[in-house]
Amino acid sequence: MDLVKYLHAIENTDVYKHYGKVQRIVGIMIESIGPVANIGEVCYIHSAKGHREPVLAEVVGFNNERIILMPYNEVNEIGPGCLVESTGKPLTVKIGKGLIGKVIDSLGQPLDGSDLPKGLSNYLTEQSPPNPLSRPTIKEPIQVGVKAIDSMLTIGKGQRIGLFAGSGVGKSTLLGMIARNSKADINVIALIGERGREVREFIEKDLGPEGQKKSIVVVATSDQPALMRMKGAYTATAICEYFRDLGYNVNLMMDSVTRVAMAQREIGLATGEPPTTKGYTPSVFSILPKLLERTGTNNFGTITAFYTVLVDGDDMNEPIADTVRGILDGHFVMDRKLAEQGQYPAINILKSISRVMNQIVTKEHLAIAQETRTLLAKYEENKDLIQIGAYKRGTDHEIDKAIMYYPKLQNFLKQGVYEQLTFSETIELLKQVIHGGN
């Protein structure tokens, strides 16, 4: 028996526990003298009274050899001189098939207080994106179960899409529809910075028992510390990566990536970063590509990702919306005007794009989608003239055709929340609308 490696391990083992001491607390930032720790490592802060659970915190920076920590949960009964113990490793969560159907927090713990199932694996929440050359190209469409998307904005397995919308336009309801109707093997839904009231409402009403059977929900509500909101996004992405490596086709739905950016802004400002565009710190624009590039395809499986982006005042060019749109493989714009007119889902087809649609659909499907887009564009271009009665029928054949088809197309694009259609049924329905005669 070779004992050399065991003796070597014993010689290199540190038999002492190294502690630091809390020196200063300002807002969400804790400064301590020691222990020796690196950026990203998790530390325990022990209460002076000793009878409380230690506070979990992460090393986010240094200041004159002092460690800057941020807690994962509320800081109570922490004061000067409290002991800080380093774990020597970054945050890991337990992941496995036993999590399917569960609602967990950013640290992977069930929100209902139950115990984690047995047989889960430890997994780092922060991973590197796959090598670009190890990513297979997107060749196959995936059924989303929403007529407007499957027909006009077809998504491929492993595509990353942004849902851009202001508040109250129906993002969460649309995500619930996708979770229930999609052909993906597993859904991972990250509710980041949501109101506490909306979490249960989304799970019971939008997701429903049917959607929950194949979903894992990661929740970090708006009242939680910035680090927990950030880690919610990382944990959800890590769960997707775990299942992708097992060969599954996974749907990631993150609501919303804007709140992730806001959480990183809080962290950046607390650690002394200078504010730049709209108060966002430089680190926000460096972490977004790292987070969003982790999804997509690899040699084993796929992660099809839907990221909702909150646009203040329906401004599609605000900094986060602009950055995210440049990283993702397509964007769907949800229009408040369409929502006010009673069209649901309120996706503005003309302002939305799927960058891989041309590569994954048949020539016939593409031709019908392009014809539909042309008709909608022609009507929108002349909408004012038509509505005030200034346009006389017979003046332009193309406009006449657009006027005839517009009500039918609007009716086709509408869909009930619980209405289910397969991918092939949707395409057939659009063919009938376009080629079905007057």
Side-chain angles (χ1 to χ4, degrees):
M1 187 177 178
D2 185 13
L3 295 175
V4 176
K5 63 179 181 180
Y6 296 105
L7 292 169
H8 185 67
I10 292 166
E11 283 172 13
N12 289 306
T13 301
D14 190 351
V15 294
Y16 293 96
K17 272 191 177 180
H18 296 271
Y19 291 94
K21 280 190 176 182
V22 171
Q23 194 74 14
R24 182 169 174 255
I25 300 177
V26 179
I28 58 171
M29 183 182 70
I30 300 169
E31 275 190 22
S32 77
I33 299 172
V36 176
N38 298 322
I39 292 278
E41 284 185 11
V42 174
C43 293
Y44 291 115
I45 304 173
H46 297 274
S47 166
K49 295 186 179 178
H51 60 269
R52 288 182 68 89
E53 285 285 315
V55 173
L56 211 58
E58 186 175 305
V59 180
V60 293
F62 301 96
N63 180 21
N64 295 330
E65 297 188 8
R66 291 182 180 181
I67 290 175
I68 300 172
L69 299 150
M70 270 197 186
Y72 286 113
N73 32 28
E74 294 302 324
V75 179
N76 294 319
E77 296 190 17
I78 298 291
C82 285
L83 294 179
V84 181
E85 177 192 350
S86 174
T87 61
K89 57 186 181 182
L91 181 68
T92 58
V93 291
K94 290 189 176 293
I95 303 174
K97 292 180 184 176
L99 285 183
I100 297 172
K102 297 258 181 202
V103 181
I104 59 174
D105 65 13
S106 302
L107 305 179
Q109 297 300 317
L111 274 188
D112 59 5
S114 62
D115 293 329
L116 280 169
K118 304 290 183 190
L120 303 181
S121 308
N122 285 320
Y123 203 84
L124 285 171
T125 58
E126 292 197 39
Q127 302 281 343
S128 298
N131 185 311
L133 294 182
S134 73
R135 286 183 184 271
T137 53
I138 298 167
K139 295 175 182 173
E140 195 181 339
I142 186 169
Q143 176 188 308
V144 173
V146 178
K147 285 190 290 185
I149 297 173
D150 282 344
S151 60
M152 300 298 300
L153 302 160
T154 312
I155 293 173
K157 287 181 182 176
Q159 191 173 348
R160 299 159 306 146
I161 290 290
L163 297 174
F164 292 74
S167 53
V169 188
K171 297 181 304 300
S172 299
T173 312
L174 180 58
L175 288 184
M177 276 180 76
I178 294 169
R180 290 193 308 274
N181 301 346
S182 171
K183 281 291 182 187
D185 302 318
I186 294 167
N187 297 312
V188 179
I189 301 162
L191 302 177
I192 310 297
E194 287 292 314
R195 304 172 190 88
R197 172 188 68 80
E198 287 184 338
V199 173
R200 190 160 181 180
E201 197 174 282
F202 176 83
I203 292 164
E204 293 180 1
K205 184 181 163 191
D206 296 331
L207 190 58
E210 187 185 341
Q212 202 173 348
K213 278 179 195 171
K214 60 171 188 175
S215 299
I216 300 167
V217 184
V218 181
V219 175
T221 48
S222 56
D223 58 294
Q224 292 185 327
L227 201 58
M228 277 291 264
R229 282 176 271 141
M230 268 299 301
K231 290 299 169 186
Y234 283 114
T235 298
T237 308
I239 293 169
C240 291
E241 288 168 327
Y242 173 86
F243 285 107
R244 176 177 64 184
D245 290 345
L246 292 178
Y248 288 94
N249 293 314
V250 187
N251 270 356
L252 169 63
M253 283 164 266
M254 192 177 291
D255 187 13
S256 72
V257 77
T258 310
R259 302 249 169 83
V260 176
M262 288 176 175
Q264 180 59 35
R265 176 172 64 183
E266 277 184 56
I267 295 167
L269 291 171
T271 53
E273 278 190 77
T276 53
T277 322
K278 269 201 171 181
Y280 288 102
T281 56
S283 63
V284 173
F285 301 102
S286 66
I287 68 112
L288 280 176
K290 288 177 187 172
L291 176 65
L292 304 181
E293 284 290 343
R294 285 170 61 180
T295 54
T297 59
N298 74 358
N299 288 323
F300 306 105
T302 63
I303 302 172
T304 309
F306 301 85
Y307 298 99
T308 68
V309 183
L310 281 168
V311 283
D312 294 332
D314 296 329
D315 174 17
M316 295 296 164
N317 297 314
E318 60 99 29
I320 299 304
D322 217 25
T323 304
V324 171
R325 190 166 49 236
I327 298 166
L328 299 178
D329 310 318
H331 53 272
F332 299 168
V333 176
M334 299 191 73
D335 196 324
R336 192 176 296 281
K337 283 183 183 175
L338 291 176
E340 287 165 356
Q341 290 166 12
Q343 181 172 324
Y344 183 81
I347 299 170
N348 188 322
I349 300 295
L350 298 176
K351 290 182 180 177
S352 305
I353 190 168
S354 167
R355 290 182 182 166
V356 303
M357 180 177 175
N358 292 4
Q359 304 156 30
I360 59 173
V361 299
T362 62
K363 287 182 181 177
E364 185 188 14
H365 179 179
L366 190 60
I368 291 171
Q370 285 173 343
E371 189 178 345
T372 305
R373 193 177 276 267
T374 304
L375 289 167
L376 290 170
K378 183 62 77 174
Y379 186 90
E380 287 297 325
E381 193 181 321
N382 298 279
K383 191 173 185 178
D384 293 341
L385 288 174
I386 296 163
Q387 288 183 340
I388 63 170
Y391 174 75
K392 289 184 180 178
R393 294 213 172 194
T395 310
D396 187 311
H397 173 69
E398 290 297 318
I399 298 175
D400 289 345
K401 191 177 177 184
I403 292 169
M404 183 178 74
Y405 277 101
Y406 189 75
K408 298 177 186 177
L409 292 173
Q410 289 297 93
N411 191 49
F412 167 77
L413 294 171
K414 285 181 185 177
Q415 186 170 348
V417 176
Y418 296 101
E419 185 184 344
Q420 292 188 345
L421 280 96
T422 64
F423 187 84
S424 55
E425 284 171 350
T426 299
I427 308 309
E428 277 302 314
L429 199 58
L430 183 59
K431 280 183 195 173
Q432 286 173 22
V433 172
I434 296 295
H435 298 147
N438 295 341

